[in-house]
Amino acid sequence: MRLRHLLLVLINSIIFVAFLGHAAYSAWERSAESLRQIQRDVHSLAASVAAGAANELLEHRFDQIETLLLRSAAIGEVMELAVADAEGKIMSLVRVDRDGRAQPIYLPEEQRIEALWQQQGGDQYRALVAIDFGEPIGWVGISASLAKLSEIRHQIWFDSLAAALLTAAVASLVLMLVISQLTRRIEAATEFAEKLDARAGNLLGVPSRIHEIKRLQSALNNAALVLQQRFAALQNSEARKAAVIEATLDSLITVDSGGRITALNPAAVTTFGYSSEEAIGAYLSDLIIPQQHRAAHIEGMRHHRKTGIGPILHQRLEMTALRRDGSEFPVELTVVPFELDGQTQFLGSLRDISKQAALQIEQKRTRALLEQTLKDLAAREHALNEHAIVTIADRHGNITYANAKMCAISQYSSEELLGQNHRLLKSGLHEPGFYADLWRTIAAGKVWHGELTNRRKDGSIYWVASTIMPLLDFNGVPYQYIAIRTDISGQKQTELELAANHERLEQTLTSYHDAQEELKRARVKEVAIGSQIQSSLLFGEVPAELGELSIAAHTEAAQGIDGDFYDFFTFGPSHIDLAIGDVMGKGVSAALLGAALKQQLNRSMTSSLSLAGQPPQPSTLINDVHAKATPRLIELETFITLTYLRVDLDVRRVTHVNAGHTPTILARAGNTRLLSGDNLPLGVFESENYSQSSLDLEPGDLLFLYSDGATEARNPEGEEFGIDRLQQLVGSLHAQKIPARMLLQAVRVHLQQFEQSLQPSDDRTCIAILLNDAEPPGCSSTSIELPWALDQLALLRHEIAALATTAAFDEAAASALVLAAFEAATNVIRHTPQPLPDATLHCRIEATPAGLNVILHYLGAAFEPALTEPDFSGDSDGGFGLYIIQNSVDEVIYDTPTPGVCRIRLEKRRPAAMLPPAQ
Amino acid sequence: MDSPCRRHGLLALLFLCLAVMAPAVHAAPPLVVAVLPQYAADRVQRDWTPALNEVAKATGIPLKLKFYASFREFEAALLKGEPDLAYMNPYHAVMANKAQGYLPIIRNDAEQLTGILVVRHDSPLQNVRQLDGATIGFPDPNAFAASLYMRALLAETLKMRIAPLYVKSHANVYRQVVNGRLPAGGGLRMTLTREPAELQAQLRVIYETPPVYSHPIAVHPRLPVAQRSALQQAFLALGQESGGAVMLVAIQIPVPVSSSYADYAPLAKLGLERFVDLHKD
């Protein structure tokens, strides 16, 4: 088939298919759009009828509705229009007849719009729209004929196809004209090429007038000419190459990509011993590649076939090859790939380098040996020169060589030394026999070792350890001496100094020990001063009793001095204020801040006191302290927790401010509760406003205040003592009516036992304030605190006697009680080891109408007296006291109200005659 | 600058004005014409102006239309004898005659009005008396034959009690009956026959009123007899002139004939005033 015909058929087919496709698509689109348009029209008509009919339907104006429908029926392709009420009952119906006239239809019986709309069929589009008047009040139904749509569709299809066919025909015609020009030129060019081909390389005249064809024909002519010339050149080149290959001394072997030999030159035949006939077609690996390289060779060929990559190509390699007789020899190999008939082939050029290889190995070995030797020598010389002072002298001792170290130590330059005799260096400090001995040794051809002094150019002396070695000639006579020396001046100096230093060291050690002792004494003094500062600056005086209040306070510092502080202010017989605080941190800085805050409290209190001596409200006071102290505390980046508490005994009321301090424990009637506040510590926020809260007190109430050193005490397992445990402990001690001071001691013992340490890990302050029960009528009492010492019991005797007098108690009976109490106290102090260094014995003496009682409280383990008859043998020192006590009072009770606290109660009743008359 | 020429010109202009105004100054005041306010004033104006102009021209009597916003105003005006000439319904002809002695001079000859009661063609009702107590649709309380006259007859002669429901138009009365919304409705024989045959086929007439003459034009007795006669003749003559037929159709008197109170006197005994809704506009 001719190109021209092929192109015409192809292009025409494409154009027709394309235009027809486009026409069909646009016709389909337009038809669909027409349908959509009709649908939209019908819907908008229905909507507009619904809008128009709404009001009329509401007013039941069916005549108006009918008029509206008749008017609307004239629009578009409407076939039927109906309005129905909300239930769907048709109220008005209009139909368009075949002549296009709209007629109202009066249905002989009731019909529903949906029924009517369903029963119709055919080529129609129907729309049903609700008449909405706030709520649906009826329906509008419209049927429109689609008959016109199919007409429109036919028209659209006809138009589109006609337009497409016309356009395609025109396009084909134009293209045919264009293409026939082109194809005619191609045919002319083809004809020319055919002729050129038939003339077998002889050139033709260029007949065409068309530029492109003319150029093409000239190009073909030129190509034919060049090919002819190349062919001739190639023939010459081939002949030359064959001659080179024949004549070359190198073995040339070509193999195909499968590794089979395809050609080899005469040199290869000679070198390997295979004839051309034997070699060609055989595998290279079988013939000339030694066994150890065969696997690598085969893998290399396979890799090249697979990837086209050959790492050994174009390289100059040295390897071994195998002759026919089985001998291996070194070769230099170059492999180059080339294309032959579309197949990759490899040309290997091998040169026998057996002789060169042997020569090279020998040369290399010799050179390496020489280099190593020279290197060793140089290294040794360098090492020697670096390390030692070296000179060489002739047989007369004249210096022929001196190294840099020699010059440096002797201060002579090399020029000054050369040619000089060694005598130049003599120090003159050795005996004359020393040098004679030296010379005797070396002249005899022996090596001399020894230490000697030499003199520098400036006359100073230096020490060297020297080795002098003679070099002997063939006759065994020294002709040269090499002296190798090491500078030992420093060592010699050190030896001398060492002796002197030893003495000085002993002196220094003595004074160091003295200084240590001094330091220890200073520390002890500092701690003592700290404690003094603390007690004077940080802790106010504790008023032990105030009305019905018993107050006890105690503080222990972690580092001898701490940041806990407290202070008391009393206003008259029935008011007392207490401030307890804790400065963040420990040591002197915390103590100073605590002292400063305590001072500020005092200052604020003084400045706020009314003229009548009335103190300010606690919150007012604390807000004043806060205003003064907080800016400074913020600067110092520290803070202070504080509880300020006021007890007013007149109204039995406690008022307190808590600035981030540990909550106060209130123990009452066997229960405990926490009095806490929600204010932040002082020194946190300048804008903080401190508020107070109040609480009525009842007789017997205990207020227990403490620093966090109490709750944060830890046992060796790291467990915290905790507020719950403290609350429980204080509660149980209070429940047993333990006096305030004793209670405080008991708490301390518990904390000590918990921590298993005598020294608290943090500053720890506790204060107990007990509102004592009121004395029953006719009763009086007194409490005293006795130091834990046998010689301090006189006060006990005195107080019992005093109360007995006041209570008009029988003197003899009182003496008996004194005896028993004294005996009991002595026994306790003597036999009960105390866990606290400042432990006390608490004594309460009560006078009641029934008699006189003494109650002793002290720390210790439970005491179980085994009362027996006294042993008067003198072998035992126990038992006698108990006997006395038992017989001196009416009743004695030993008990342990709570673990760690013991109690002895001694009761002495009034003699019968003294009892007041029974009521 | 006061030239004699200019002075003469002003004088001439003054005389010309007087000459033009002279007839108006000397003419009698126009007669007041009242038209039953069935329609809005603009329609009354449109329908009546051509005929009245023609009559005024023929008689030399100036006529002036007066509009009333409601039935009530119209009737009050009649009772006071305000209009000289009035187009009214037959009931008014009775009422106005009693009050002021208005006299009908012209009415339509073509046909008499016959009020009808219709029911659906398949209604079980056979006798009008079966509608006693029923709700019956009427176009308007004051529509004469279809409503006023019909209700008066039902009450006075048939002694029936019915609940009227006014649905604005005759066409709507018929359609509501066909739709079954109303068991029966009052209309006019004339309006029913104008409806499509299909609609008529769905309805059955169950009762009809005796025929009455349609709306007359009446004059107040204060008008001189010569004027009454001239006006009557002018209306009668209107039918003979070219274009007059259109004007007569517009005023709903296509074929004018002479009328007298005798045409309407039989209605007097029905007590129609009780069926008038004076609150209706």
Side-chain angles (χ1 to χ4, degrees), chain A residues 671-918:
Chain A
N671 294 317
T672 56
R673 52 182 280 207
L674 296 176
L675 308 181
S676 43
D678 49 11
N679 277 125
L680 293 169
L682 296 168
V684 178
F685 277 133
E686 288 197 50
S687 59
E688 183 76 357
N689 183 39
Y690 290 89
S691 58
Q692 62 184 33
S693 44
S694 297
L695 179 86
D696 286 334
L697 283 179
E698 290 174 10
D701 279 359
L702 170 77
L703 293 163
F704 187 85
L705 299 95
Y706 52 94
S707 66
D708 59 7
T711 47
E712 289 169 10
R714 284 176 190 276
N715 66 13
E717 287 77 45
E719 190 193 353
E720 250 187 25
F721 192 73
I723 193 159
D724 292 343
R725 220 183 294 230
L726 184 64
Q727 203 176 341
Q728 204 177 348
L729 174 63
V730 169
S732 69
L733 289 168
H734 176 254
Q736 291 300 327
K737 298 187 183 300
I738 308 295
R741 279 166 177 275
M742 194 49 57
L743 184 143
L744 220 55
Q745 288 182 18
V747 169
R748 284 167 61 199
V749 170
H750 271 90
L751 287 169
Q752 230 176 49
Q753 285 167 355
F754 184 77
E755 279 190 320
Q756 297 181 21
S757 159
L758 293 177
Q759 181 69 20
S761 57
D762 189 10
D763 308 340
R764 181 186 297 160
T765 301
C766 299
I767 298 175
I769 301 175
L770 182 65
L771 180 63
N772 292 314
D773 288 320
E775 299 275 3
C779 296
S780 61
S781 70
T782 181
S783 291
I784 52 169
E785 202 79 15
L786 294 171
W788 199 260
L790 288 172
D791 55 355
Q792 306 273 325
L793 299 176
L795 187 64
L796 175 66
R797 191 200 303 266
H798 174 77
E799 288 292 333
I800 298 173
L803 192 69
T805 310
T806 315
F809 203 73
D810 179 65
E811 202 173 321
S815 297
L817 180 64
V818 167
L819 181 66
F822 199 83
E823 199 57 43
T826 310
N827 262 352
V828 164
I829 293 174
R830 188 174 285 152
H831 296 300
T832 317
Q834 281 303 287
L836 299 175
D838 55 341
T840 55
L841 177 66
H842 185 276
C843 310
R844 179 178 161 84
I845 309 153
E846 298 173 340
T848 68
L852 206 59
N853 309 323
V854 172
I855 303 138
L856 301 176
H857 279 101
Y858 59 97
L859 300 173
F863 176 65
E864 289 290 339
L867 193 62
T868 53
E869 286 297 306
D871 179 4
F872 296 105
S873 67
D875 296 339
S876 163
D877 59 351
F880 193 59
L882 295 177
Y883 184 79
I884 292 173
I885 296 166
Q886 192 71 40
N887 285 293
S888 305
V889 293
D890 295 307
E891 189 161 13
V892 54
I893 305 164
Y894 301 89
D895 67 351
T896 309
T898 183
V901 179
C902 302
R903 182 163 60 191
I904 303 174
R905 183 183 174 87
L906 307 168
E907 287 186 20
K908 185 72 182 171
R909 295 186 192 113
R910 276 179 202 273
M914 290 184 71
L915 279 175

Side-chain angles (χ1 to χ4, degrees), chain A residues 242-253:
Chain A
V244 169
I245 289 166
E246 287 293 320
T248 184
L249 292 174
D250 290 347
S251 303
L252 298 176
I253 301 173

Side-chain angles (χ1 to χ4, degrees), chain A residues 59-64 66 85 89-92 103-104 106-110, chain B residues 120-122 167-169 171-172 175-176 178-181 195-196 198-199 202:
Chain A
E59 293 189 354
H60 306 300
R61 293 298 303 270
F62 299 112
D63 53 333
Q64 301 284 7
E66 192 178 291
D85 64 8
K89 186 181 162 194
I90 291 176
M91 289 288 142
S92 191
Q103 300 279 0
Y106 304 97
L107 297 166
E109 54 208 18
E110 182 183 314
Chain B
R120 253 185 83 91
H121 71 105
D122 52 0
V167 298
K168 301 259 172 74
S169 72
N172 200 24
R175 278 158 185 75
Q176 295 223 11
V178 167
N179 284 342
R181 291 185 52 83
E195 289 291 347
E198 292 86 348
L199 180 72
Q202 301 291 329

Side-chain angles (χ1 to χ4, degrees), chain A residues 456-593:
Chain A
R456 292 191 182 88
K457 192 179 176 182
D458 67 359
S460 61
I461 295 297
Y462 62 94
W463 280 84
V464 288
S466 189
T467 299
I468 304 171
M469 189 170 66
L471 295 184
L472 304 179
D473 60 13
F474 292 110
N475 302 318
V477 178
Y479 70 95
Q480 256 188 351
Y481 300 102
I482 299 177
I484 300 168
R485 309 174 187 82
T486 317
D487 181 5
I488 55 166
S489 304
Q491 195 182 324
K492 281 282 172 194
Q493 184 65 29
T494 309
E495 277 172 14
L496 288 172
E497 282 171 5
L498 211 57
N501 281 349
H502 186 69
E503 201 178 339
R504 277 206 297 279
L505 192 64
E506 281 185 342
Q507 285 171 358
T508 311
L509 268 174
T510 314
S511 44
Y512 173 73
H513 282 301
D514 292 349
Q516 284 281 320
E517 285 303 312
E518 187 74 21
L519 199 62
K520 266 185 203 164
R521 281 195 295 277
R523 281 207 185 125
V524 169
K525 204 171 171 185
E526 188 185 304
V527 169
I529 291 169
S531 295
Q532 271 177 1
I533 291 173
Q534 197 158 322
S535 53
S536 60
L537 286 182
L538 293 173
F539 303 109
E541 198 178 330
V542 183
E545 299 279 335
L546 183 86
E548 304 116 294
L549 289 180
S550 298
I551 302 166
H554 183 266
T555 186
E556 281 172 282
Q559 296 177 0
I561 181 160
D562 69 7
D564 285 1
F565 62 91
Y566 60 74
D567 204 358
F568 291 89
F569 305 94
T570 46
F571 307 97
S574 53
H575 283 73
I576 184 162
D577 283 12
L578 155 63
I580 175 169
D582 184 2
V583 181
M584 187 187 79
K586 300 183 180 75
V588 175
S589 62
L592 288 176
L593 271 174

Side-chain angles (χ1 to χ4, degrees), chain A residues 40-99:
Chain A
R40 277 198 294 270
D41 290 350
V42 169
H43 273 277
S44 45
L45 179 63
S48 102
V49 169
N55 209 32
E56 310 296 356
L57 192 61
L58 269 183
E59 293 189 354
H60 306 300
R61 293 298 303 270
F62 299 112
D63 53 333
Q64 301 284 7
I65 290 172
E66 192 178 291
T67 311
L68 177 69
L69 295 189
L70 285 169
R71 269 209 316 273
S72 305
I75 298 168
E77 299 299 313
V78 172
M79 291 171 70
E80 204 162 53
L81 265 161
V83 167
D85 64 8
E87 283 76 42
K89 186 181 162 194
I90 291 176
M91 289 288 142
S92 191
L93 175 65
V94 168
R95 237 170 235 160
V96 178
D97 63 16
R98 288 200 180 147
D99 305 326

